[in-house]
Amino acid sequence: VQLVESGGGSVQAGGSLRLSCAASGYTTSGNCMGWFRQPPGKLREGVAVIYTGGGSTYHVDYVDSVKGRFTISNDNAKNTLYLQMNALKPEDTAVYYCAARPTCGSSFFPPREYNFWGQGTQVTVS
């Protein structure tokens, strides 16, 4: 299993970025896919999760701090997870990771409950 993130970078406050997470050896459909982030000196936190299957989206959730600004999506055909980030703020600065586990719960599972992780991509907002 390999999850490879891309799309990070440096952007000014108010700008946008789109992160991608390409999966191999694992299907993004039929599994819980999530985006996490770890700001400097802080713990890793859940940002958004999604569960899709058969072309339908069954579950989406966001941490309160990104609601209305970030959108998680899953392209089943490309087996790729995305995170569209708009209206970025300096406090969004972090290393962003994608992660996977079989099911999504009613709330975010802690990072330790995820089976597979990408290597992370840096997002810096100034």
Side-chain angles (χ1 to χ4, degrees):
V1 175
Q2 196 171 21
L3 302 176
V4 180
E5 301 99 335
S6 60
S10 296
V11 64
Q12 290 188 334
S16 299
L17 286 172
R18 189 177 80 154
L19 305 183
S20 300
C21 172
S24 58
Y26 196 86
T27 56
T28 58
S29 176
N31 288 290
C32 184
M33 302 299 300
W35 286 101
F36 287 75
R37 66 185 179 186
Q38 188 163 13
K42 296 185 178 181
L43 296 175
R44 195 171 297 188
E45 64 171 355
V47 175
V49 293
I50 188 169
Y51 187 99
T52 63
S56 299
T57 298
Y58 294 99
H59 179 79
V60 174
D61 199 9
Y62 299 92
V63 68
D64 286 346
S65 59
V66 308
K67 286 180 179 178
R69 300 188 298 122
F70 290 11
T71 302
I72 189 171
S73 61
N74 182 24
D75 187 326
N76 294 338
K78 295 182 178 180
N79 209 33
T80 299
L81 180 73
Y82 299 98
L83 185 69
Q84 177 67 44
M85 305 186 295
N86 298 328
L88 282 161
K89 304 175 181 180
E91 51 263 43
D92 295 318
T93 295
V95 178
Y96 283 71
Y97 301 87
C98 66
R101 69 182 312 279
T103 58
C104 291
S106 57
S107 60
F108 284 95
F109 282 107
R112 66 178 181 273
E113 298 291 338
Y114 282 75
N115 304 102
F116 303 107
W117 290 86
Q119 82 287 354
T121 186
Q122 177 71 46
V123 172
T124 303
V125 185
S126 60

